[in-house]
Amino acid sequence: MALADIADGLHVSAATAQWAVLGYQLPVVALLLPVGRWLDGVGTRSALLVAAAGFALCSALAAAAPWASWLIAARLAQGAFGAVLFVLMPVLALRSVRPELRGRAMSVPATLGPLGAVTGPAVGGLLLDHLGWRAVFLVKIPFCLFALVVAWRAMPRDGGLRLPDRRSAADAVLVGSGVAALLLALTLAPGSPGALVLVLAAVPPVWWWLRGPGGRPVVGVLRATGLFRAHTAVLALAVGFAAMHYVVALHLQRDDGVSATTTGLTVLAFPLGMGLAGPVGGRLADLPHARLRSRGGTPTGARPVAVIGAALTAAGLLLLVPLGGDWSPVGVAWRLALAGLGMGLNGGPTQALVMGAAPPDRTATVGSSVQLARSLGFTLGPALATAAWGLTGGDDGVTAGLTLAATAACLAVPLLALPGRRPVFEQEMSTGDAPAAHRS
């Protein structure tokens, strides 16, 4: 939304201004997994203080940018600090509460991410209209300062920091180059030769990482904890959510001629439903914990609540498909509200399932992997919807995009409904052996 203003303000092309977004997205997604492994060996308090301070500093530098290269460099550094903050959110939620409150704690980071994705453009539009594009970066600084104060005063000292070793740097290069190629491919026209070349170029570095000393421990933890299905469900719901949001907003404003204000109010039905249902989903997931408890401390009510939430999200998106091109804002809004209620119910319980199954010394690794699945879904959703829309066109394109979104959400329901096997580290703990994850 701010790209046109940035291009005009810094006197650069729209393609150059696009790097104000890509410069942040690339390090966030590329560094999530290496950062997760690094955070498993350092103090969370120190990491939070450094990441929040660095993020605030980079926000100020981006707002003060006199030219485009300055802005892009600030955004690249901000993305690196952002990756640390993204991984820390579920880890801090896991460690800050008792197991019987885990669902409620996990509902906070699981709800805030999608809420920010929907409400961010609306807030950004107000800032652009009244204060200019630099205010979009400055508005984040007070939140960072608040996090610094809370971390400094409330969090106990739990160890210092250490610089990433050469293996972590190599992991970042391999994962980063693969993710960078994939994200750049998604910015090109679907089916273009350049996009295909970039997709193919993304495969070798990711494959080398998966087969190397950096990727094997991550894959091993996910396999041992039986979390691949849950991660795929998170990815599928993120794809469905992002594709739906892209198609609905674009169709209402561009094809139906609805005003930007009406479009914004219509789309806000989703975050409203999500915000109302998020705390409820966490509480419902925690209810049976006093009577039935899994060995890992995960609330046993988390799975059914997560499944119900995914089913409601899928139902809301499926109800959008028959509308075709004949929409009314009210008819769209209540369907989005239903999908938002489901997403809110699903977020906390799913996060509790994933983080509760993580070995105690691999929580950041598992947290980074689920954040990566969600981030990739947010990126893939609009790209896939654009491809589906382009292949059919017109009202059929709208239907195709919404069908894709609904199909992705429907896939999440059986993935969450099928229980995973008992984590290997729990089996070994019950027999008195040392956990396998701890021996790695």
Side-chain angles (χ1 to χ4, degrees):
M1 184 180 292
L3 294 182
D5 293 59
I6 292 174
D8 292 339
L10 298 179
H11 309 292
V12 295
S13 66
T16 301
Q18 177 74 15
W19 277 94
V21 177
L22 288 176
Y24 178 79
Q25 289 178 335
L26 288 177
V28 165
V29 178
L31 295 177
L32 281 174
L33 290 176
V35 162
R37 291 200 64 207
W38 174 68
L39 285 174
D40 278 327
V42 301
T44 54
R45 179 179 182 270
S46 300
L48 179 58
L49 290 173
V50 171
F55 195 93
L57 175 61
C58 291
S59 296
L61 291 173
W67 50 79
S69 58
W70 177 308
L71 175 62
I72 294 170
R75 291 289 280 168
L76 285 167
Q78 189 177 39
F81 290 115
V84 178
L85 293 175
F86 273 124
V87 178
L88 279 174
M89 283 193 296
V91 174
L92 292 174
L94 178 72
R95 297 178 181 177
S96 61
V97 300
R98 302 186 303 274
E100 59 267 24
L101 301 176
R102 186 169 290 163
R104 273 166 277 191
M106 290 299 171
S107 69
V108 176
T111 303
L112 288 180
L115 276 178
V118 176
T119 58
V123 176
L126 292 173
L127 292 172
L128 284 173
D129 290 340
H130 295 89
L131 299 175
W133 65 268
R134 298 181 188 274
V136 174
F137 300 112
L138 291 175
V139 74
K140 303 171 184 178
I141 295 178
F143 298 98
C144 294
L145 296 178
F146 177 75
L148 283 170
V149 172
V150 172
W152 183 267
R153 300 185 62 178
M155 291 183 65
R157 297 181 182 273
D158 57 356
L161 294 179
R162 58 173 174 79
L163 292 175
D165 55 21
R166 285 183 295 178
R167 178 181 296 177
S168 298
D171 291 347
V173 170
L174 289 174
V175 177
S177 57
V179 171
L182 179 61
L183 291 181
L184 289 174
L186 294 176
T187 65
L188 301 177
S192 67
L196 180 60
V197 170
L198 286 171
V199 169
L200 294 176
V203 175
V206 174
W207 175 257
W208 290 330
W209 177 79
L210 286 172
R211 302 292 293 177
R216 285 198 304 268
V218 177
V219 176
V221 169
L222 296 184
R223 183 182 293 117
T225 52
L227 289 176
F228 278 114
R229 281 201 297 268
H231 279 65
T232 307
V234 170
L235 173 66
L237 282 173
V239 167
F241 157 74
M244 172 276 299
H245 183 257
Y246 173 80
V247 172
V248 168
L250 190 61
H251 178 65
L252 281 175
Q253 197 164 356
R254 190 185 70 179
D255 298 335
D256 278 11
V258 177
S259 67
T261 300
T262 302
T263 299
L265 291 174
T266 302
V267 173
L268 281 177
F270 187 97
L272 178 62
M274 189 173 181
L276 292 173
V280 176
R283 288 183 176 273
L284 290 175
D286 289 336
L287 280 179
H289 191 279
R291 299 188 300 273
L292 297 170
R293 181 183 300 177
S294 69
R295 291 182 180 271
T298 303
T300 54
R303 188 177 302 279
V305 177
V307 172
I308 292 171
L312 286 176
T313 300
L317 299 187
L318 283 169
L319 288 171
L320 287 170
V321 176
L323 292 177
D326 185 18
W327 289 12
S328 69
V330 174
V332 173
W334 75 260
R335 290 168 171 84
L336 294 183
L338 177 63
L341 288 170
M343 200 77 164
L345 287 176
N346 171 271
T350 300
Q351 194 87 2
L353 280 173
V354 172
M355 297 301 294
D361 63 345
R362 294 292 187 269
T363 54
T365 295
V366 173
S368 67
S369 62
V370 74
Q371 291 285 43
L372 178 61
R374 186 175 287 113
S375 298
L376 286 176
F378 289 158
T379 304
L380 287 171
L384 294 175
T386 300
W389 197 331
L391 290 173
T392 50
D395 291 342
D396 291 338
V398 175
T399 302
L402 292 176
T403 300
L404 182 145
T407 302
C410 288
L411 287 175
V413 178
L415 289 170
L416 290 170
L418 295 172
R421 65 180 182 273
R422 184 177 165 193
V424 169
F425 81 94
E426 290 182 17
Q427 298 173 10
E428 295 179 345
M429 286 176 67
S430 66
T431 60
D433 295 334
H438 293 200
R439 293 195 293 264
S440 61

